[in-house]
């Protein structure tokens, strides 16, 4: 069962968390967003309070089923990283359900990831194979929360600790099923179909995020018709947690402008 939570009244808004966090990453936004919107947040399979099980699944299909379960007809989707990639799939697979897109440090299937980033994933995987979860979590924090130009001392210690808790939980849920559960893409050719996206789109990226994420943001802004692009200073891959005021202003301002 996918864990989900709905609150508020108004236009529909769905929050899709990133792959180093779970739905708790939206705590800084929850009270403010639910004042003006009917908001859905949830944990993808293998994160937070959503268990993972053997078999194949598609996260985008899971989200569409959640929309149906909660009676969401046409929602704005705010997706970060993994959540951004899933939001793109939904925008192509079920465009009638998507009123707007906010893509934050978004992933993109088929991106040619840099050797530097592949090396960090190898380091993380080696730590996990050795049973050193704390070391694997630290690789995640160094790569995605600190970013390539900052040190741990430059980052809010509370944000770092909250991401560490969520990432460790994800490892604990996923490791027992790493050879038995496999995610499929609901839309296989997202990167080739960006020009088909009809929803008004805002592309956001943290100024201190890794170069790969900036390259993806540039492509999304260039190829999605009419997309806007903004950068949030002094944050890497978790701007909604590290710079919530700036994040909220940009997101809510955009959503209000396209309603």
């Amino acid at each position: 069962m996918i864990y989900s939570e709905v609150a508020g009244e108004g236009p529909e808004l769905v929050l899709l968390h990133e792959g180093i966090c779970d739905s708790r990453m939206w705590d800084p936004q929850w009270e403010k967003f639910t004042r003006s919107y009917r908001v859905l947040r949830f944990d993808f399979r293998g994160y937070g309070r959503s268990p993972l099980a053997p078999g194949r699944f598609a996260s985008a299909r899971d989200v569409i089923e959640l929309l149906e379960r909660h009676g969401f007809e046409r929602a704005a989707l705010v997706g970060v990283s993994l959540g951004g990639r899933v939001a793109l799939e939904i925008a192509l697979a079920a465009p009638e359900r998507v009123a707007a897109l906010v893509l934050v440090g978004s992933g993109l299937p088929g991106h040619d990831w840099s050797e530097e980033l592949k090396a960090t994933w190898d380091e993380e995987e080696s730590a996990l194979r050795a049973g050193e979860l704390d070391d694997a979590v630290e690789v995640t924090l160094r790569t995605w929360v600190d970013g390539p130009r900052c040190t741990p001392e430059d980052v809010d210690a509370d944000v770092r600790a909250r991401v560490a808790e969520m990432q460790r939980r994800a490892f604990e849920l996923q490791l027992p099923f790493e050879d038995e559960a496999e995610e499929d893409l609901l839309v296989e050719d997202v990167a080739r179909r960006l020009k088909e996206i009809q929803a008004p789109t805002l592309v956001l990226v943290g100024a201190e995020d890794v170069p790969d994420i900036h390259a993806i943001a540039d492509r999304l802004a260039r190829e999605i018709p009419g997309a806007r692009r903004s950068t949030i200073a002094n944050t890497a891959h978790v701007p909604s947690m590290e710079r919530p005021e700036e994040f909220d202003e940009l997101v809510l301002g955009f959503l209000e402008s396209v309603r």
Side-chain angles (χ1 to χ4, degrees), residues 27-241:
D27 287 349
Q29 282 69 47
W30 193 244
E31 181 182 355
K32 182 182 290 186
F33 283 17
T34 56
R35 291 178 202 158
S36 305
Y37 292 86
R38 183 170 184 246
V39 187
L40 164 65
R41 65 172 168 175
F42 64 93
D43 293 331
F44 286 114
R45 298 189 197 213
Y47 294 88
R49 285 166 278 189
S50 293
L52 193 60
R56 307 182 75 90
F57 66 97
S59 294
R61 184 180 297 112
D62 287 342
V63 178
I64 292 171
E65 290 174 357
L66 277 178
L67 297 179
E68 294 173 351
R69 183 195 311 168
H70 291 292
F72 277 62
E73 296 181 358
R74 191 166 182 268
L77 308 183
V78 179
V80 188
S81 195
L82 161 67
R85 185 265 288 171
V86 174
L88 285 166
E89 289 184 75
I90 297 168
L92 288 166
E96 71 283 356
R97 289 190 171 274
V98 181
L101 285 175
V102 179
L103 306 171
V104 188
S106 182
L108 182 65
H111 175 73
D112 185 15
W113 298 100
S114 67
E115 293 304 316
E116 291 81 4
L117 202 49
K118 290 177 184 176
T120 68
W121 288 331
D122 288 342
E123 183 181 358
E124 179 185 282
E125 183 62 29
S126 295
L128 291 173
R129 283 199 303 269
E132 301 292 346
L133 264 64
D134 289 341
D135 290 348
V137 168
E138 184 59 31
V139 174
T140 296
L141 298 176
R142 191 178 69 232
T143 304
W144 297 111
V145 181
D146 304 343
R149 299 191 299 181
C150 297
T151 68
E153 292 71 31
D154 297 323
V155 178
D156 186 302
D158 182 58
V159 169
R160 226 174 176 271
R162 283 184 285 151
V163 174
E165 180 182 356
M166 291 185 278
Q167 176 64 98
R168 186 181 180 91
R169 172 63 174 163
F171 285 151
E172 291 169 347
L173 289 171
Q174 295 166 17
L175 283 173
F177 300 100
E178 61 180 336
D179 297 322
E180 303 174 60
E182 186 170 352
E183 182 187 7
D184 295 321
L185 294 176
L186 184 61
V187 178
E188 294 283 349
D189 53 351
V190 171
R192 295 196 299 273
R193 296 178 59 189
L194 294 174
K195 287 182 168 58
E196 297 177 27
I197 292 176
Q198 304 167 15
T201 301
L202 174 64
V203 178
L204 284 179
V205 66
E208 301 302 326
D209 212 333
V210 299
D212 287 84
I213 295 298
H214 282 271
I216 290 172
D218 289 342
R219 181 173 180 181
L220 296 175
R222 184 173 63 249
E223 296 190 21
I224 296 175
R228 310 178 196 178
R229 188 189 191 284
S230 292
T231 301
I232 301 179
N234 302 314
T235 184
H237 207 54
V238 289
S240 61
M241 296 176 66

